[in-house]
Amino acid sequence: MDTISLDVNRLPRHVGIIMDGNGRWAQRHKLKIAMGHRAGTEALREIIRNSSDIGIQVLTLYAFSTENWSRSKAEVDALMMLLLEFFQSEIDELDQKQVRILILGDKDGLPPAQRDALLRAEARTAHNTGLKLNIAVNYGSRAEIVRAARLLAQDVAAGVLAPQDIDEAALESRLYTAGDPPVDLLIRTSGEMRQSNFLLWQCAYAEFVFPTVLWPDFDLAAYHACIAAYQGRSRRFGGRAEA
Ligand code: FPP
C-alpha cells in the first residue's frame, strides 16, 4: 500500500531512471539472468503507467547502454527480445494513454526487428500529448554530445550557422532530448552511486536519489519515496537559498 503523499504542485518535470540490479535480483532468486531482466520489465510497466497517471512530463529510462553489448550473447539476446516484447504488448495502452515515445541512442546499431519496432512506436505516438517517454537504447551520453557537436559543425560548414551563434541552447537543441525540460530527479536503484554515461548534459542540476532496492523490486511506494525525497531537497541552481 502506497502511503506516501506527494505534493502534486511540485512534481519533478523530468525523471531519469537507471534501472540497476536485475542481475543481482536473479542471483538472489537463483534464476537465470534473463529472468531478472524480465522481472525488471514488469517493474518498468508500473512505473511508466504511474508516471503518466500522476502527471510527470518526461520520463527517461536507461534500457541498454552502448557498453551493454559486451555482455554475454545470451544476455544481450534476452534484452533484445524483451525490448521487442515490450513494444508489442504495451504499445496499444501507451498510445491510448497519449504517451509519446522517443528512442535516445543509435537505432541503426540495433538488429532490424528491434529497430523497426522502435521506429514504428515513435511514429505511431509522435503526435500524442501526454507523458513523453524517452527510452535510451544503444545510448551513451558522451556519444550524444559528440553527435550534437557534429550537427553544429555541419550547419557551420553549410553556412546556416555562424560559430559565434553556438551557445548552450544551440547545442541542447541537437541532443536527442531537444525540447525536454532538464532532468530534475535522477534515480539509480540497487545502491550503486554512479551516473554511468547517462544524460550528462541534461543532469547538470538534477537531484540524485539512490534507493538500495534492486530494480525488479522497485514498486510505486519506492518510486514515490524517491519523489518525496526530491521534494524535500532545497534546489538552488548555484545561487543562495532565500534567508
Ligand atoms: C541493469 O541491471 C539493467 C540493465 C542493463 C537493463 C535494463 C533493462 C530492463 C529493465 C528491461 C528491458 C527494457 C525495456 C524498455 C523493455 P544489471 O543487469 O546491470 O544488474 P546487476 O548490476 O545486478 O548485474
Side-chain angles (χ1 to χ4, degrees), residues 11-23:
L11 287 173
R13 288 164 304 166
H14 187 165
V15 177
I17 309 186
I18 303 177
M19 309 179 286
D20 199 4
N22 294 347

PDB file of all heavy atoms in Angstrom, residues 11-23:
ATOM      1  N   LEU A  11       5.917  18.362  -8.526  1.00  0.00           N
ATOM      2  CA  LEU A  11       6.453  17.123  -9.101  1.00  0.00           C
ATOM      3  C   LEU A  11       7.674  17.447  -9.947  1.00  0.00           C
ATOM      4  O   LEU A  11       7.738  18.522 -10.559  1.00  0.00           O
ATOM      5  CB  LEU A  11       5.399  16.470 -10.004  1.00  0.00           C
ATOM      6  CG  LEU A  11       4.212  15.803  -9.317  1.00  0.00           C
ATOM      7  CD1 LEU A  11       3.195  15.374 -10.359  1.00  0.00           C
ATOM      8  CD2 LEU A  11       4.667  14.612  -8.479  1.00  0.00           C
ATOM      9  N   PRO A  12       8.651  16.542 -10.000  1.00  0.00           N
ATOM     10  CA  PRO A  12       9.738  16.752 -10.962  1.00  0.00           C
ATOM     11  C   PRO A  12       9.142  16.727 -12.369  1.00  0.00           C
ATOM     12  O   PRO A  12       8.283  15.904 -12.660  1.00  0.00           O
ATOM     13  CB  PRO A  12      10.653  15.547 -10.720  1.00  0.00           C
ATOM     14  CG  PRO A  12       9.816  14.536 -10.000  1.00  0.00           C
ATOM     15  CD  PRO A  12       8.756  15.286  -9.265  1.00  0.00           C
ATOM     16  N   ARG A  13       9.585  17.656 -13.212  1.00  0.00           N
ATOM     17  CA  ARG A  13       9.058  17.641 -14.588  1.00  0.00           C
ATOM     18  C   ARG A  13       9.658  16.481 -15.365  1.00  0.00           C
ATOM     19  O   ARG A  13       9.018  15.853 -16.169  1.00  0.00           O
ATOM     20  CB  ARG A  13       9.386  18.966 -15.306  1.00  0.00           C
ATOM     21  CG  ARG A  13       8.593  20.151 -14.840  1.00  0.00           C
ATOM     22  CD  ARG A  13       9.230  21.437 -15.301  1.00  0.00           C
ATOM     23  NE  ARG A  13      10.619  21.515 -14.840  1.00  0.00           N
ATOM     24  CZ  ARG A  13      11.525  22.373 -15.284  1.00  0.00           C
ATOM     25  NH1 ARG A  13      11.211  23.246 -16.209  1.00  0.00           N
ATOM     26  NH2 ARG A  13      12.760  22.372 -14.810  1.00  0.00           N
ATOM     27  N   HIS A  14      10.944  16.253 -15.125  1.00  0.00           N
ATOM     28  CA  HIS A  14      11.658  15.219 -15.887  1.00  0.00           C
ATOM     29  C   HIS A  14      12.351  14.272 -14.904  1.00  0.00           C
ATOM     30  O   HIS A  14      13.163  14.709 -14.089  1.00  0.00           O
ATOM     31  CB  HIS A  14      12.673  15.908 -16.805  1.00  0.00           C
ATOM     32  CG  HIS A  14      13.376  14.996 -17.768  1.00  0.00           C
ATOM     33  ND1 HIS A  14      14.083  15.471 -18.850  1.00  0.00           N
ATOM     34  CD2 HIS A  14      13.494  13.642 -17.822  1.00  0.00           C
ATOM     35  CE1 HIS A  14      14.590  14.445 -19.530  1.00  0.00           C
ATOM     36  NE2 HIS A  14      14.252  13.323 -18.908  1.00  0.00           N
ATOM     37  N   VAL A  15      12.006  13.009 -14.980  1.00  0.00           N
ATOM     38  CA  VAL A  15      12.626  11.981 -14.125  1.00  0.00           C
ATOM     39  C   VAL A  15      13.468  11.063 -15.008  1.00  0.00           C
ATOM     40  O   VAL A  15      12.996  10.584 -16.046  1.00  0.00           O
ATOM     41  CB  VAL A  15      11.549  11.130 -13.406  1.00  0.00           C
ATOM     42  CG1 VAL A  15      12.196  10.025 -12.569  1.00  0.00           C
ATOM     43  CG2 VAL A  15      10.647  12.002 -12.539  1.00  0.00           C
ATOM     44  N   GLY A  16      14.708  10.838 -14.622  1.00  0.00           N
ATOM     45  CA  GLY A  16      15.571   9.871 -15.315  1.00  0.00           C
ATOM     46  C   GLY A  16      15.768   8.670 -14.397  1.00  0.00           C
ATOM     47  O   GLY A  16      15.897   8.845 -13.176  1.00  0.00           O
ATOM     48  N   ILE A  17      15.773   7.474 -14.966  1.00  0.00           N
ATOM     49  CA  ILE A  17      15.983   6.289 -14.118  1.00  0.00           C
ATOM     50  C   ILE A  17      17.020   5.352 -14.719  1.00  0.00           C
ATOM     51  O   ILE A  17      16.928   4.959 -15.891  1.00  0.00           O
ATOM     52  CB  ILE A  17      14.676   5.490 -13.887  1.00  0.00           C
ATOM     53  CG1 ILE A  17      13.540   6.395 -13.397  1.00  0.00           C
ATOM     54  CG2 ILE A  17      14.922   4.366 -12.880  1.00  0.00           C
ATOM     55  CD1 ILE A  17      12.254   5.657 -12.999  1.00  0.00           C
ATOM     56  N   ILE A  18      18.024   5.005 -13.917  1.00  0.00           N
ATOM     57  CA  ILE A  18      18.973   3.951 -14.255  1.00  0.00           C
ATOM     58  C   ILE A  18      18.491   2.702 -13.514  1.00  0.00           C
ATOM     59  O   ILE A  18      18.549   2.630 -12.282  1.00  0.00           O
ATOM     60  CB  ILE A  18      20.412   4.320 -13.844  1.00  0.00           C
ATOM     61  CG1 ILE A  18      20.829   5.647 -14.504  1.00  0.00           C
ATOM     62  CG2 ILE A  18      21.378   3.191 -14.201  1.00  0.00           C
ATOM     63  CD1 ILE A  18      22.221   6.147 -14.114  1.00  0.00           C
ATOM     64  N   MET A  19      17.964   1.762 -14.296  1.00  0.00           N
ATOM     65  CA  MET A  19      17.272   0.592 -13.718  1.00  0.00           C
ATOM     66  C   MET A  19      18.308  -0.490 -13.413  1.00  0.00           C
ATOM     67  O   MET A  19      18.527  -1.386 -14.212  1.00  0.00           O
ATOM     68  CB  MET A  19      16.234   0.086 -14.726  1.00  0.00           C
ATOM     69  CG  MET A  19      15.312   1.191 -15.239  1.00  0.00           C
ATOM     70  SD  MET A  19      14.096   0.618 -16.446  1.00  0.00           S
ATOM     71  CE  MET A  19      15.078   0.370 -17.899  1.00  0.00           C
ATOM     72  N   ASP A  20      18.937  -0.409 -12.248  1.00  0.00           N
ATOM     73  CA  ASP A  20      20.072  -1.285 -11.957  1.00  0.00           C
ATOM     74  C   ASP A  20      19.685  -2.371 -10.948  1.00  0.00           C
ATOM     75  O   ASP A  20      18.878  -2.131 -10.053  1.00  0.00           O
ATOM     76  CB  ASP A  20      21.223  -0.435 -11.398  1.00  0.00           C
ATOM     77  CG  ASP A  20      22.561  -1.141 -11.500  1.00  0.00           C
ATOM     78  OD1 ASP A  20      22.621  -2.254 -12.073  1.00  0.00           O
ATOM     79  OD2 ASP A  20      23.550  -0.590 -10.994  1.00  0.00           O
ATOM     80  N   GLY A  21      20.273  -3.538 -11.122  1.00  0.00           N
ATOM     81  CA  GLY A  21      20.113  -4.595 -10.119  1.00  0.00           C
ATOM     82  C   GLY A  21      19.369  -5.826 -10.602  1.00  0.00           C
ATOM     83  O   GLY A  21      19.103  -6.734  -9.804  1.00  0.00           O
ATOM     84  N   ASN A  22      19.054  -5.893 -11.892  1.00  0.00           N
ATOM     85  CA  ASN A  22      18.337  -7.073 -12.407  1.00  0.00           C
ATOM     86  C   ASN A  22      19.161  -8.347 -12.228  1.00  0.00           C
ATOM     87  O   ASN A  22      18.632  -9.409 -11.901  1.00  0.00           O
ATOM     88  CB  ASN A  22      18.029  -6.919 -13.900  1.00  0.00           C
ATOM     89  CG  ASN A  22      17.049  -5.800 -14.167  1.00  0.00           C
ATOM     90  OD1 ASN A  22      16.415  -5.295 -13.259  1.00  0.00           O
ATOM     91  ND2 ASN A  22      16.935  -5.402 -15.428  1.00  0.00           N
ATOM     92  N   GLY A  23      20.469  -8.241 -12.466  1.00  0.00           N
ATOM     93  CA  GLY A  23      21.349  -9.410 -12.360  1.00  0.00           C
ATOM     94  C   GLY A  23      21.405  -9.929 -10.932  1.00  0.00           C
ATOM     95  O   GLY A  23      21.262 -11.128 -10.673  1.00  0.00           O
TER      96      GLY A  23
END
